[in-house]
Amino acid sequence: MKKNKNPDRLDSRLLEQNNICYYPAVDSTNLTARLLAEKGAPGYCTVIAEEQKQGRGRLGRNWFSPPNEGLWFSIILRPESLTPERAASVTMVTAASLADYLRNKYRLAATVKWPNDLLIAEKKFGGILTELKSNAGHLDYLVVGLGLNVNQQQSSFPVEIRSRATSLAMESGRNFDRTAFFLLLRESLLDAYRHFFLHGFASFRRLWKEYNVTLGRKATINWPGGSITGLALDLTAEGALLIKDNLGQTRIVNYGEIE
Ligand code: BTN
């Protein structure tokens, strides 16, 4: 991979002026955010890193997070009104509002794939990893981690994911000022969370259904220790996927990954 002599860096001063916890490098912003949450950091506290040494994807995978091109960040949420059972919908709220933002502000045809993929033209430009801590049925906090490919070109990606990955720059033909882009995007996500906590999931479920590439298609969903194949029918009011399996039975899937 070619090394750039003048790498683009996140503007740490501007981030800190906006009360964002900026780190040049961490293992994982989700992990850092969870440690901060354990020490009492408030809701909406946000951690961003130029580079993650051990970025984490869903189902225990690694998330490739080198410096200078992508955005790797995590937001702590402390909703009063949400139960742990309904927490999965936070991932859908995040995906749907992010796709909506990119469509309206940048005319990018962003779509969402259950449960946590962000795609353009069937290629992945981002992913969401939501983790939670609960106590005796009460949701203590959530950490929503987002990885977004922003200014990468195809050669930036490891060969094994090159054919499936894309970036906002590749799809729009322009480069982004990552700091400015992140600050505005974060505001729009925080607005979405506030709306969701006050008014519920319904409007986000509608948005998600408008932008999704999952429903109406045959899907095989895998999770550690199981799998199901069938027709993806709907997204439930809790953010789970409704599937009609090959025996004609309707099943609810809360967790997993589409093959
Ligand atoms: C996935 O699609 O598998 C989810 C990827 C989530 C990656 C982000 S990058 C910021 C945050 N910190 C992590 O370690 N993971 C999430």
Side-chain angles (χ1 to χ4, degrees):
M1 238 168 276
K2 183 164 73 96
K3 283 255 186 280
N4 189 338
K5 278 201 197 123
N6 295 308
D8 178 47
R9 297 228 182 276
L10 288 169
D11 184 340
S12 56
R13 218 166 51 124
L14 188 55
L15 291 167
E16 279 157 8
Q17 277 164 6
N18 282 276
N19 294 321
I20 311 290
C21 299
Y22 164 82
Y23 298 85
V26 292
D27 280 351
S28 149
T29 56
N30 265 33
L31 189 59
T32 306
R34 278 169 48 193
L35 293 174
L36 291 176
E38 288 295 326
K39 289 189 190 150
Y44 304 123
C45 165
T46 304
V47 174
I48 188 166
E50 183 66 74
E51 179 180 9
Q52 297 187 115
K53 301 286 189 191
Q54 287 182 319
R56 293 158 45 206
R58 289 180 67 255
L59 305 176
R61 297 210 185 93
N62 293 330
W63 182 261
F64 180 62
S65 326
N68 313 129
E69 293 176 321
L71 283 174
W72 329 120
F73 62 98
S74 302
I75 304 176
I76 297 172
L77 298 175
R78 293 189 183 274
E80 297 283 327
S81 54
L82 208 65
T83 57
E85 295 72 44
R86 299 180 79 91
S89 47
V90 168
T91 303
M92 313 300 146
V93 169
T94 307
S97 17
L98 202 140
D100 194 52
Y101 179 78
L102 294 176
R103 282 170 173 260
N104 290 326
K105 194 160 159 80
Y106 296 102
R107 303 278 152 229
L108 282 161
T111 57
V112 298
K113 181 175 153 197
W114 189 88
N116 73 324
D117 287 351
L118 297 156
L119 312 178
I120 299 178
E122 308 256 323
K123 292 191 175 186
K124 182 158 169 170
F125 72 89
I128 303 165
L129 179 67
T130 304
E131 297 181 289
L132 66 85
K133 162 114 183 271
S134 64
N135 234 325
H138 170 80
L139 185 61
D140 197 356
Y141 61 81
L142 285 152
V143 168
V144 184
L146 279 118
L148 299 179
N149 300 329
V150 180
N151 286 333
Q152 286 92 337
Q153 291 302 323
Q154 211 177 28
S155 61
S156 317
F157 296 115
V159 180
E160 18 351 321
I161 60 170
R162 211 168 271 177
S163 63
R164 289 176 281 127
T166 193
S167 73
L168 301 181
M170 284 163 68
E171 297 301 328
S172 63
R174 52 165 281 196
N175 261 27
F176 289 75
D177 172 335
R178 285 180 305 143
T179 309
F181 174 78
F182 160 74
L183 286 171
L184 289 174
L185 172 68
R186 174 180 176 268
E187 277 311 316
S188 125
L189 285 173
L190 297 197
D191 282 348
Y193 296 135
R194 288 185 197 107
H195 186 96
F196 169 53
F197 298 148
L198 276 177
H199 305 290
F201 186 45
S203 62
F204 296 99
R205 178 168 173 263
R206 270 196 299 277
L207 264 191
W208 190 94
K209 286 179 72 164
E210 189 178 332
Y211 300 147
N212 89 90
V213 293
T214 303
L215 302 182
R217 290 189 176 186
K218 202 173 164 202
T220 295
I221 319 237
N222 299 311
W223 59 90
S227 105
I228 172 175
T229 297
L231 180 67
L233 291 179
D234 203 357
L235 188 73
T236 70
E238 288 76 36
L241 194 63
L242 211 60
I243 291 255
K244 188 176 192 175
D245 71 15
N246 287 342
L247 300 171
Q249 297 212 328
T250 304
R251 311 232 326 237
I252 292 178
V253 186
N254 283 298
Y255 179 74
E257 177 153 278
I258 298 189
E259 202 170 283

